[in-house]
Amino acid sequence: MSLEVPIIILILAVPIYFLSKWILKKLKLGSKKSRKYLAIIPTLILSPLTYVGIIMIWWVSISYYPKKDFNKQEWETNIEERYIMSENIIDSEILIGKTKKEVIELLGSDYYTYGEEHISYYLGFVPGIVNIDPDVLDIYFENGKVIKVSQHET
């Protein structure tokens, strides 16, 4: 285990200890001397929980990105941020039932082919902690019509 985590928890423990002691004083729990020892209990519990909470908030903020409705002009011009519209494309099912020609008219001709029944569009790098590969929008055809649209990291 690295030394950084215990040091960070110890740094968090100092203000939590004094805050706990102050709250105990305001609630008139224990004597002045016993409050010093009573404040250790919430400090031992809240310090690691505060550390975990800070890490979770950081993780959520790093992974957040806005989501937008599909816009053909934005799709064509902002290639690195297509992932912003991908959820709308999938959830609204706007491609389901369309032919390959209709899909190409809507999304453009810059796709990758995996055979007659599967094409993919580059979406860019979705924000996240360990995202080192770009995502793609997979479009599957059956009998010349779109039957499934999904997204995955390459």
Side-chain angles (χ1 to χ4, degrees):
M1 181 165 102
S2 66
L3 200 56
E4 294 88 15
V5 173
I7 290 172
I8 293 170
I9 291 174
L10 186 61
I11 290 168
L12 291 171
V14 173
I16 291 172
Y17 171 78
F18 287 108
L19 181 64
S20 298
K21 209 167 110 175
W22 178 77
I23 290 171
L24 289 171
K25 182 179 178 183
K26 288 294 178 187
L27 295 174
K28 297 180 181 162
L29 294 174
S31 65
K32 186 175 182 178
K33 186 176 182 180
S34 67
R35 273 189 226 117
K36 291 179 184 177
Y37 301 110
L38 283 173
I40 293 172
I41 296 167
T43 302
L44 291 174
I45 295 168
L46 293 175
S47 298
L49 288 176
T50 302
Y51 175 75
V52 170
I54 289 169
I55 295 300
M56 290 180 76
I57 289 169
W58 175 77
W59 183 75
V60 168
S61 69
I62 292 293
S63 300
Y64 170 79
Y65 63 91
K67 295 169 177 69
K68 289 183 179 178
D69 290 345
F70 175 74
N71 177 303
K72 184 175 168 63
Q73 184 180 358
E74 255 186 83
W75 179 268
E76 292 171 350
T77 58
N78 200 358
I79 294 169
E80 287 299 321
E81 292 186 354
R82 286 179 172 173
Y83 60 84
I84 294 172
M85 295 177 272
S86 63
E87 188 174 317
N88 178 254
I89 292 170
I90 295 167
D91 292 345
S92 69
E93 298 184 346
I94 60 172
L95 299 178
I96 301 297
K98 292 193 183 303
T99 65
K100 187 182 275 188
K101 183 180 176 190
E102 291 171 322
V103 170
I104 293 169
E105 284 175 11
L106 188 64
L107 299 181
S109 60
D110 60 334
Y111 60 89
Y112 304 96
T113 303
Y114 298 100
E116 282 298 310
E117 305 293 315
H118 179 197
I119 64 173
S120 294
Y121 284 89
Y122 175 80
L123 296 174
F125 291 85
V126 176
I129 295 175
V130 291
N131 287 1
I132 59 171
D133 295 320
D135 278 40
V136 293
L137 184 71
D138 290 313
I139 303 168
Y140 299 92
F141 298 89
E142 189 174 283
N143 299 324
K145 303 265 185 186
V146 176
I147 58 163
K148 180 182 172 189
V149 181
S150 62
Q151 177 178 337
H152 81 276
E153 190 175 301
T154 57

